[in-house]
Amino acid sequence: MNNPSTILDTIIDFLNSIPIKIIEKKISHDTFLPGIQLCGSSIYIDREKLKYPGDLLHEAGHIAVTEASVRPLIGKENQPPNWPSDGEEIAAILWSFAASHHLQLSLDVVFHPNGYKNEATWLIEQFSSKNYMGLPLLEWMNLCNKEEFPKMIQWVR
């Protein structure tokens, strides 16, 4: 599965099933990641502007690990100023690894060279060595247990 369009469709189908709703629409303004805009438990994507399909999994990870009471505020004016916390960032990175594994995607789909502050290669090395930074957080969120990881118990907190 090397075709970016096929990869994107696979990711969208998965996210819609868990459910993190993916809404395709034109995004007329600049966003943190090109072609992606978070809105509560939904993600707007603009296929023409989206550069890396794997970015969608990472952003979905942010939604997935956020407390249910805060999730509706994501991307809105009243979003907590400290969102996501450092712990949620680590949890979202590991969540996106688990999702990549579940979807049988190459890790460089999510951890591409132009993301993760130039640490994508290091993250791939860590996860390939089963050094799962953030695993206690995902366990605490009742999303997985360490004995079966990267298999998830549930995908959304």
Side-chain angles (χ1 to χ4, degrees):
M1 184 181 340
N2 292 333
N3 180 326
S5 182
T6 303
I7 291 169
L8 181 58
D9 289 340
T10 298
I11 291 170
I12 289 170
D13 290 345
F14 166 68
L15 294 176
N16 280 324
S17 77
I18 62 174
I20 295 175
K21 187 171 173 96
I22 305 303
I23 301 165
E24 295 191 42
K25 66 180 253 177
K26 297 284 182 200
I27 299 173
S28 59
H29 57 282
D30 288 338
T31 54
F32 179 71
L33 293 173
I36 298 176
Q37 181 180 352
L38 300 180
C39 185
S41 294
S42 299
I43 303 174
Y44 299 139
I45 66 162
D46 185 334
R47 282 184 186 252
E48 291 180 15
K49 292 183 178 181
L50 183 67
K51 288 187 176 182
Y52 303 101
D55 286 347
L56 188 54
L57 277 182
H58 178 72
E59 294 307 297
H62 281 298
I63 292 170
V65 303
T66 297
E67 290 181 78
S69 62
V70 175
R71 213 173 294 132
L73 308 177
I74 296 172
K76 312 262 175 77
E77 283 187 24
N78 55 346
Q79 170 183 298
N82 62 343
W83 183 89
S85 69
D86 290 343
E88 288 169 330
E89 182 66 40
I90 292 167
I93 290 170
L94 190 56
W95 185 97
S96 62
F97 163 76
S100 296
H101 184 268
H102 176 77
L103 297 172
Q104 300 179 339
L105 298 174
S106 172
L107 291 182
D108 61 2
V109 169
V110 174
F111 304 106
H112 56 82
N114 294 313
Y116 300 93
K117 300 178 183 173
N118 298 317
E119 296 295 335
T121 301
W122 181 80
L123 288 167
I124 291 172
E125 290 170 0
Q126 296 307 303
F127 297 149
S128 296
S129 300
K130 299 185 178 184
N131 182 16
Y132 301 132
M133 296 113 7
L135 186 55
L137 288 169
L138 290 184
E139 285 185 287
W140 177 76
M141 294 172 180
N142 296 313
L143 296 176
C144 69
N145 64 56
K146 67 181 175 186
E147 292 80 20
E148 295 183 359
F149 189 82
K151 182 182 177 194
M152 301 291 276
I153 297 168
Q154 60 186 13
W155 287 102
V156 178
R157 185 175 179 189

